Amino acid sequence: MRRFILCLASNAGLGYSPLASGTVGTLAGLPVFYLLARLPAPLYLLTWTALLFLSFWVAGLAGRIYGEPDDGRIVIDELVGYLVTVALLPFSWTSALLGFLFFRLFDIVKLPPARWFDRQLKNGYGVVLDDVVAGLYGALALRLTLHWLG
């Protein structure tokens, strides 16, 4: 079970990257976006919600295993946050890559309330919710940019 938890938490090992593990971990979102973009909106949202609850559980357990609630190897939260950024958009490389850049920017900057979740909730919920907030900021920036590129 321990290996399974760590495999999920690290997005199949991407979180073990020695450099920029969060950025590398976010790469798992590209094929997942490609697959989920084909789903009808209700099924996308249901799938994302299931992944959200799975990520709370997995991030919390992995944090206990690593001895650090927000260990850098835990990157399932990046997957969840990135999927917020690109939620309900049709797949295109423009959306996928711009979404990637915007999500990473807002995940690094941690605008409120992301910073609060990151600093105050030292558990699976805090690990994931700061990325969900970053994903919401990313979604707004992505949609404005796509509209502008029109």
Side-chain angles (χ1 to χ4, degrees):
M1 187 65 151
R2 177 183 159 101
R3 276 187 175 176
F4 178 68
I5 295 297
L6 296 180
C7 181
L8 289 175
S10 67
N11 287 343
L14 294 175
Y16 288 94
S17 171
L19 297 171
S21 62
T23 299
V24 174
T26 305
L27 290 172
L30 296 172
V32 176
F33 171 38
Y34 176 78
L35 294 171
L36 293 183
R38 300 171 176 204
L39 298 177
L43 190 51
Y44 183 104
L45 295 172
L46 181 64
T47 303
W48 180 84
T49 301
L51 185 58
L52 173 69
F53 284 101
L54 175 69
S55 70
F56 289 151
W57 179 69
V58 165
L61 288 176
R64 283 189 234 129
I65 291 168
Y66 291 133
E68 174 64 37
D70 198 2
D71 188 275
R73 295 168 285 192
I74 301 170
V75 292
I76 192 170
D77 52 322
E78 268 74 21
L79 172 62
V80 171
Y82 173 74
L83 292 175
V84 170
T85 297
V86 296
L88 308 176
L89 291 174
F91 183 87
S92 73
W93 282 108
T94 300
S95 294
L97 297 176
L98 282 174
F100 185 91
L101 293 173
F102 282 129
F103 171 71
R104 290 306 305 145
L105 170 70
F106 289 111
D107 189 32
I108 292 165
V109 172
K110 298 211 184 305
L111 297 174
R115 184 176 296 126
W116 185 88
F117 287 120
D118 184 56
R119 292 184 179 169
Q120 299 301 318
L121 295 180
K122 295 299 181 185
N123 56 32
Y125 296 106
V127 169
V128 174
L129 289 175
D130 78 296
D131 291 85
V132 170
V133 173
L136 291 169
Y137 282 116
L140 178 62
L142 176 58
R143 280 151 179 81
L144 289 172
T145 301
L146 291 173
H147 178 74
W148 182 74
L149 293 173

